[in-house]
Amino acid sequence: MILFFCSTLANAQTADFVSGKEYVIDSIQVVGLKSFNKKTVISYSGLRRGQKVRLPGDQISSVINKLWNLDLFSDINFYATNVKENSLTLQIEIEELPTLNEVKIYGLKKGKIQGIINDTELEKGKKLSESFLTNTKNYLTNKFKKEGFLNTKVTLNTVPDSTNVNTFNMVVNIDRGNRVKISDIVFNGNEQFKGNKLASKLKNTKKRAFYRFWKSSKFIPDDFEEDKKGLIDFFKEKGYRDARILKDSVIVNPDNTLTLQFDVEEGNRYYFGDISFLGNAAYTDYQLSSVLGIKKGDPYNGVLLKKRIADDTKPDGQDISNLYQNSGYLFSNINAVEVSAVEDTINFEIRVTEGKIASFNKITVVGNEKTNDHVIYRELRTKPGELYSKDKVVRTVRELGQLGFFDAEQISPDFKNVDPNAGTVDIEFGLQESGASQIELQGGYGGGGFIGTLGLSFNNFSMRNIFDKESYKPVPSGDGQKLSLRLQASQFFNTYSFTFAEPWLGGRQPVQFSTSLSRTNQFRYDFFTGRADKSQSFEISSITIGLAKRLRVPDDYFTLSQALTYQYYNLKNYFTGLFTFGDGVSNNISYTVSLSRNNTYTNPIFPMGGSNFVISGKFTPPYSLFNKIDYENLGNLPAYQSINSEGEMVADQGKIDQEKFRFLEYYKIKFSGTWYTKIIDKLVLKTQTDFGFLGSYNNQRGDIPFERFYLGGDGMANNFALDGRETIALRGYPNQSLSSRDGSTLYNKFSLELRYPITLKPSASIYALSFLESGRGYQGFRNFNPFNANRSAGAGVRIFMPAFGLLGIDFAYGFDNVDLTQNTPNGWETHFIIGQQF
C-alpha cells in the first residue's frame, strides 16, 4: 500500500500542499533501514536531489514499482514533508524482507536434501517473503503428492538469528506419511466392456498387483485426469461417440488405500455413413478416400478419423494433411464436419481449403559456431525456389541430427515471413554445437604386463586447414571429415592405426572416400625370463581404400559401399597352436561390397524409431581356378614332405598349410538388421538380428584360419586378436566362449532391448536398458541350429559423452551352460562397455 501524506511540522514554516503541482526535491530521507544503507536505496529508486516531481504522478508510481520489483522489501511508504512553496522533502519508509541464514530439512534422506534445496532456492541470502514461503510449502506438498504421498504435510518454521540483523534460520519439517496405493478400480454402468478392460486403458493409473513391477499403483491427480480423457477416447475408438463419465470418486479405505469408482454412460454405438469431400482440386475424391482409409459401415472411430486427417504424433504420418503439405500446400486446412446423423449412422463432409501453393524462399542456419556452412547446406533437403514440402523439412532435421555435430534434441526449424499472398516461406534451422571429438586414454595390466592405449577421434575434422596455425582450436575442424589415430602397446605387442574419411568427395555428391592403415606386432612370451622374445614375432600390416555412395533408387536412405583391402601376415619363428606353420607369410586381398539402408530417427545416440539394415559380402580372388594346384595331393609331393623321427618321408602339414594360405581364398557374407519401435513416451524397443558365414570356393583348400567369428561376452576386441577375427557380443557369457577355440565359420544372434533415456543433453546422454539375447557360433551349416543357442537376460546403463564416446556397464545372466550338453546355467556376468554399441 502506498500512502501520501502532507504534514505541517511543528515549529516550521510550511506552505499548503497543492495536489498535482510540480515540486523540486529538496532532500531525500530513508527510514526503516536494517541492513541496507541510505545511498543504496536512493540509488535503486533513481531519484535525486533537485529533481522535479509531480505529486501525485507517474514518476513516483514508477519508483514504487521499481523498488517493489526488487523483491527486497515487504512494505514501502512515501511521505512528503517540509513542504515549501516549490520544494519538499521526500521520505521513503521501507520494511526490509528478512534474509535466510541457514536451513535444516527433516523427514528426508540425506541424499535428497540438497536436491530439495536447489529446487526451492532455500539458500543462504534468500529473501523470505510471504509469497515465497507459501509457494515453497505448496511446491513441496505437491511434489510428494505426485509421488503418491497424498497425506504429505509440510511446515516451515523461522527463528531469528542472534548473530546477524534481520536474518532468520529456517526449519523445514516434511512428513510424507505412507505412499497411498490404489487397491481397486470399479466401473458402474458399463455393459459393452468389462471393468478390467476399461481399467487397462488407464495408462498411468493402475491398481495394486503383485505381478506389476513396471508400473506403480500410486495415485497422481494430473495423471488421473489425463487417463480419464484416454478412457473416453477408447470409447470413441470403438464407436461409442456419446460415451461420458457421469461421475468419478476417490474413496479412502480404512487401510489407507484408495478405491477409484467411475460411473459411465456408454451410449449407442455409431457407424460411419457417407463421407464426401468438398473444396479439393489438387486430388480426386478417390485419392483422398484412399488416404483416409475409412469406409461406409465401419464402426465410428473419432480418434482414427482425427489421425487420418492430421496425425500430430507423427510428423511424417500418412494422412491427408501431410499429403497436401508435401505437395506445396503449406496453407492448406482440412476439417471433418458431421453433416447429419440418421439413427446410428453419421455422415461426414471433409472440407478442404487448399490455399495457394507455397515455395521455399530463404533457407538459413544459425548456431553453427564450429561447423562450416557448406557442411550443413549440402545436407539440407529444403532448397530456395522449390515447392514447400513438410517431408523435406522433417528429413532435413534428421540429416542434421545424423551428422553427430549438433545436439539432435535441439534442432528446430523456425518458420519465418510466412506470406500466404506471395506463397513463400523462410525457414531458419536453429542448431546447437555438441562435442564431436573423442579421446581414449587407458592403462591397465593384462597379458603379463602393462598395456597403454591412446586413441584420438576427430569427427568434424578439416584437412585443408591442417597447415593453418590459427585453425588449431585445438585441432582444425568444421569440414565434417573424420580422422582417428589409435596407439596401443605393451612389452608383448604394439598396434598403430590411422583412419581418414571424407563424406563428400569433390564436394558435389554424397560419395564418401575412406582409407585406413594399421600395423600390429606380436611377440612370444619367454617362460624362462618372463619377458617378450623379440626373435619370435607375428606381424600384420593392412591398408584399405573405400568408396560409399548414397543411392536414389529405391530411395535415398540406401547406401552402396565398396572397399579394397590388402593384409600382409608375416610369421617369424612364431610357433603356437594358432597356425600349423611358424615361419611364412599370408596375403589377404579382398573386395567388400555392402548395401545398407538407414532411416533411423534424428538422434543417432538414442533413435526413437526407424531401422538400419546392412548386408555385405567380402570376396577374395578365386586363385584355385587358375593356379592349377592340386591341394588334395600336396602331401604326396616331395616339396611338401619332411623326414619324421623314424626316418620316413611324410606329409608336412605346416608346409601344406603355408601353400594353402599363401594367398587367402574365401568369401564372407554378413547381415545385420535393427528396428527401433517407440512403445510409449520415450520407451523404445530395439530388435536386432545378426548373421555371418565364412565359406571357401575350394573344399580341398578348406576354411581359412583367419577372419572367423568369436561369439560371447562384451564384444570388445581382444588385444591379441591378430588373425582378423570378429568378436560378437552376447552378454551373460565369458568373452568368445560361444565359439570353438579356432573360431566359428557361421553364427547367428537375436536381441531384444528396451531402452529409456534418463537425459539426452549434449554434455551427456544417459539411458537405461534391459535385454534378452540368444545366439551361438557353429562350424558350418551342417551343425547350424538356431534353436540350439545360448540365452541370456539382464540390464545395464549407457553414458555417451562427446569427449569419451560411449561408456556402459551390463549385468547379464546366462541361462545355459557354455557347453550345451551341461544343464547348469552359466550364471551372472558383468560387462564393461567402452566405445561401442550392441
Side-chain angles (χ1 to χ4, degrees):
M1 297 185 59
I2 314 304
L3 301 178
F4 285 95
F5 291 96
C6 297
S7 303
T8 302
L9 300 178
N11 303 320
Q13 295 180 354
T14 61
D16 294 333
F17 175 78
V18 180
S19 178
K21 182 180 177 180
E22 191 174 65
Y23 290 90
V24 175
I25 300 176
D26 183 55
S27 63
I28 302 174
Q29 298 176 351
V30 182
V31 298
L33 295 174
K34 293 181 179 179
S35 60
F36 289 95
N37 61 54
K38 173 182 175 181
K39 291 183 178 179
T40 301
V41 176
I42 295 175
S43 176
Y44 282 154
S45 72
L47 297 173
R48 67 183 186 279
R49 184 180 178 184
Q51 181 179 349
K52 293 182 179 181
V53 294
R54 191 179 301 277
L55 300 177
D58 293 339
Q59 286 176 291
I60 297 300
S61 298
S62 177
V63 171
I64 293 171
N65 289 332
K66 187 176 181 180
L67 292 174
W68 193 258
N69 290 334
L70 293 174
D71 291 329
L72 299 174
F73 313 113
S74 60
D75 194 14
I76 303 172
N77 295 306
F78 270 69
Y79 296 90
T81 63
N82 296 330
V83 180
K84 299 178 182 179
E85 183 176 355
N86 295 312
S87 64
L88 52 74
T89 297
L90 273 183
Q91 185 182 89
I92 306 175
E93 182 183 76
I94 63 172
E95 184 176 337
E96 296 183 22
L97 286 173
T99 302
L100 178 63
N101 178 54
E102 184 182 38
V103 62
K104 292 183 178 180
I105 299 178
Y106 297 99
L108 298 178
K109 293 181 179 179
K110 272 188 177 181
K112 294 186 176 182
I113 290 178
Q114 187 59 46
I116 293 295
I117 292 175
N118 294 338
D119 292 343
T120 56
E121 299 180 356
L122 285 172
E123 298 175 345
K124 186 174 182 178
K126 183 68 179 180
K127 295 297 181 179
L128 301 178
S129 65
E130 288 297 327
S131 62
F132 173 76
L133 295 175
T134 302
N135 291 338
T136 300
K137 181 177 180 179
N138 292 339
Y139 170 80
L140 293 174
T141 303
N142 293 330
K143 173 182 173 61
F144 293 109
K145 282 186 176 182
K146 288 180 179 180
E147 295 177 3
F149 298 95
L150 299 186
N151 299 320
T152 298
K153 295 180 181 178
V154 178
T155 57
L156 306 179
N157 297 318
T158 55
V159 180
D161 180 46
S162 58
T163 60
N164 296 297
V165 178
N166 199 35
T167 59
F168 284 77
N169 296 322
M170 179 183 293
V171 176
V172 182
N173 290 297
I174 301 174
D175 181 10
R176 297 185 301 178
N178 294 322
R179 182 178 270 116
V180 179
K181 300 284 188 176
I182 301 170
S183 63
D184 199 8
I185 301 177
V186 179
F187 289 89
N188 299 320
N190 53 307
E191 299 177 355
Q192 302 299 325
F193 303 99
K194 294 182 178 180
N196 289 338
K197 180 72 172 179
L198 297 178
S200 68
K201 301 305 172 183
L202 304 174
K203 294 182 178 180
N204 297 303
T205 307
K206 302 291 184 181
K207 66 180 180 180
R208 185 170 57 187
F210 72 92
Y211 56 82
R212 183 179 290 109
F213 58 87
W214 65 91
K215 178 70 71 172
S216 62
S217 61
K218 60 188 179 184
F219 178 78
I220 300 176
D222 291 345
D223 289 346
F224 180 58
E225 293 300 321
E226 191 67 27
D227 282 344
K228 289 195 294 183
K229 296 177 183 178
L231 182 63
I232 296 301
D233 285 343
F234 167 73
F235 280 111
K236 290 182 177 180
E237 289 175 356
K238 299 301 180 181
Y240 297 89
R241 185 191 65 165
D242 298 333
R244 56 181 179 150
I245 300 174
L246 300 175
K247 180 183 177 183
D248 62 86
S249 305
V250 180
I251 302 171
V252 181
N253 301 316
D255 61 352
N256 202 37
T257 61
L258 300 179
T259 295
L260 306 183
Q261 183 171 300
F262 294 89
D263 294 339
V264 300
E265 183 180 80
E266 295 173 332
N268 297 323
R269 192 179 194 188
Y270 290 86
Y271 299 87
F272 285 109
D274 294 325
I275 301 177
S276 59
F277 295 90
L278 180 66
N280 53 307
Y283 296 98
T284 65
D285 290 0
Y286 176 78
Q287 290 173 311
L288 296 181
S289 181
S290 298
V291 175
L292 188 65
I294 298 175
K295 298 179 180 179
K296 184 177 181 179
D298 289 348
Y300 171 81
N301 187 337
V303 176
L304 177 63
L305 177 62
K306 183 179 179 181
K307 286 185 176 181
R308 295 292 172 82
I309 296 295
D311 190 351
D312 297 332
T313 63
K314 294 182 179 180
D316 57 348
Q318 300 296 318
D319 53 62
I320 294 178
S321 290
N322 276 347
L323 179 67
Y324 274 95
Q325 290 278 316
N326 293 334
S327 300
Y329 291 93
L330 170 63
F331 311 108
S332 60
N333 187 30
I334 296 95
N335 293 300
V337 180
E338 295 183 13
V339 292
S340 63
V342 181
E343 296 181 351
D344 61 353
T345 301
I346 304 174
N347 300 314
F348 280 90
E349 193 174 78
I350 310 298
R351 298 177 181 175
V352 180
T353 303
E354 294 181 342
K356 189 174 183 177
I357 293 181
S359 59
F360 295 114
N361 186 28
K362 293 182 180 179
I363 307 297
T364 56
V365 293
V366 294
N368 54 314
E369 299 174 354
K370 294 182 180 179
T371 307
N372 294 321
D373 286 347
H374 73 272
V375 175
I376 301 172
Y377 280 104
R378 68 192 184 192
E379 299 293 342
L380 301 184
R381 301 304 175 94
T382 54
K383 308 291 185 183
E386 291 185 354
L387 285 181
Y388 170 81
S389 171
K390 180 181 177 181
D391 180 64
K392 289 183 178 180
V393 177
V394 173
R395 183 67 186 276
T396 295
V397 172
R398 179 205 178 262
E399 296 300 326
L400 293 176
Q402 288 284 318
L403 286 175
F405 309 150
F406 311 106
D407 181 6
E409 302 298 315
Q410 301 296 325
I411 300 175
S412 58
D414 187 8
F415 287 64
K416 293 188 172 183
N417 301 323
V418 181
D419 191 343
N421 296 321
T424 58
V425 59
D426 299 341
I427 298 183
E428 181 182 270
F429 290 96
L431 307 175
Q432 182 177 330
E433 294 267 9
S434 62
S437 299
Q438 298 168 13
I439 183 171
E440 178 188 2
L441 184 62
Q442 298 182 46
Y445 188 85
F450 179 81
I451 302 173
T453 302
L454 173 63
L456 299 173
S457 179
F458 307 107
N459 296 323
N460 193 6
F461 193 71
S462 176
M463 183 64 75
R464 65 187 174 92
N465 291 321
I466 195 169
F467 298 111
D468 184 2
K469 295 181 180 180
E470 296 182 358
S471 299
Y472 282 80
K473 300 177 181 180
V475 295
S477 60
D479 283 345
Q481 299 163 342
K482 296 182 180 180
L483 176 70
S484 62
L485 301 167
R486 196 169 191 271
L487 311 175
Q488 190 173 52
S490 74
Q491 65 167 316
F492 297 103
F493 77 96
N494 53 68
T495 301
Y496 315 93
S497 64
F498 166 83
T499 302
F500 174 76
E502 165 56 69
W504 283 66
L505 183 62
R508 295 183 177 274
Q509 295 293 331
V511 177
Q512 176 176 287
F513 168 79
S514 61
T515 183
S516 64
L517 302 169
S518 67
R519 181 182 176 88
T520 301
N521 278 310
Q522 168 73 42
F523 305 104
R524 283 292 306 278
Y525 175 78
D526 191 322
F527 290 95
F528 295 101
T529 64
R531 301 184 63 82
D533 185 351
K534 298 296 180 71
S535 66
Q536 303 179 65
S537 65
F538 181 16
E539 173 191 328
I540 297 180
S541 300
S542 174
I543 181 172
T544 299
I545 296 176
L547 289 174
K549 182 179 181 180
R550 188 185 300 165
L551 304 180
R552 296 182 179 179
V553 178
D555 60 42
D556 58 2
Y557 289 110
F558 280 89
T559 300
L560 178 66
S561 304
Q562 302 175 78
L564 284 175
T565 301
Y566 173 69
Q567 287 180 305
Y568 176 74
Y569 301 88
N570 186 11
L571 288 81
K572 297 179 181 179
N573 195 27
Y574 196 86
F575 291 92
T576 66
L578 189 61
F579 309 110
T580 57
F581 57 93
D583 281 296
V585 299
S586 287
N587 299 275
N588 184 3
I589 303 173
S590 62
Y591 166 72
T592 303
V593 59
S594 67
L595 182 67
S596 63
R597 186 180 189 273
N598 181 3
N599 72 332
T600 53
Y601 288 7
T602 305
N603 192 336
I605 305 301
F606 191 85
M608 298 287 289
S611 59
N612 187 13
F613 297 91
V614 181
I615 183 170
S616 66
K618 190 174 185 179
F619 307 94
T620 63
Y623 303 107
S624 299
L625 291 179
F626 47 80
N627 63 12
K628 298 180 181 181
I629 297 177
D630 184 2
Y631 292 99
E632 187 174 11
N633 296 313
L634 282 180
N636 298 326
L637 300 177
Y640 302 99
Q641 295 179 341
S642 61
I643 301 175
N644 63 11
S645 60
E646 299 178 358
E648 299 174 345
M649 292 293 292
V650 296
D652 188 328
Q653 191 61 45
K655 293 180 179 179
I656 294 173
D657 285 350
Q658 168 65 92
E659 182 60 40
K660 284 183 177 181
F661 304 132
R662 188 178 304 277
F663 283 90
L664 300 182
E665 182 181 282
Y666 65 94
Y667 64 91
K668 194 174 189 179
I669 307 298
K670 295 192 298 180
F671 171 80
S672 177
T674 307
W675 296 261
Y676 297 93
T677 306
K678 183 178 177 181
I679 305 300
I680 184 173
D681 191 27
K682 293 185 178 181
L683 181 65
V684 175
L685 173 66
K686 176 189 176 185
T687 308
Q688 183 171 342
T689 179
D690 296 278
F691 170 84
F693 174 66
L694 176 67
S696 61
Y697 305 125
N698 187 339
N699 291 331
Q700 295 177 2
R701 296 190 70 168
D703 295 320
I704 63 172
F706 306 96
E707 298 284 342
R708 296 198 175 194
F709 306 106
Y710 288 80
L711 194 71
D714 53 32
M716 298 181 66
N718 193 311
N719 290 330
F720 307 99
L722 301 175
D723 51 358
R725 68 180 60 182
E726 291 191 38
T727 53
I728 313 299
L730 201 153
R731 293 160 283 188
Y733 297 92
N735 286 350
Q736 306 180 16
S737 62
L738 303 183
S739 296
S740 67
R741 185 186 66 177
D742 297 328
S744 303
T745 59
L746 186 151
Y747 86 95
N748 73 326
K749 174 189 168 185
F750 305 97
S751 176
L752 292 174
E753 190 172 282
L754 276 174
R755 300 173 161 193
Y756 192 83
I758 299 172
T759 177
L760 295 177
K761 294 182 179 180
S763 57
S765 295
I766 306 174
Y767 61 89
L769 58 89
S770 60
F771 57 87
L772 297 172
E773 290 187 329
S774 172
R776 193 169 180 83
Y778 307 90
Q779 297 300 319
F781 277 103
R782 290 186 178 181
N783 300 314
F784 177 62
N785 183 356
F787 301 103
N788 188 24
N790 292 75
R791 302 158 299 167
S792 67
V797 66
R798 296 289 182 274
I799 302 174
F800 180 84
M801 292 184 290
F804 299 100
L806 188 70
L807 307 173
I809 185 172
D810 289 324
F811 302 96
Y813 185 85
F815 294 106
D816 305 294
N817 197 287
V818 172
D819 182 359
L820 291 177
T821 61
Q822 304 294 324
N823 293 326
T824 57
N826 184 71
W828 288 101
E829 296 278 348
T830 302
H831 304 288
F832 294 95
I833 314 303
I834 300 175
Q836 67 165 7
Q837 296 246 28
F838 279 101

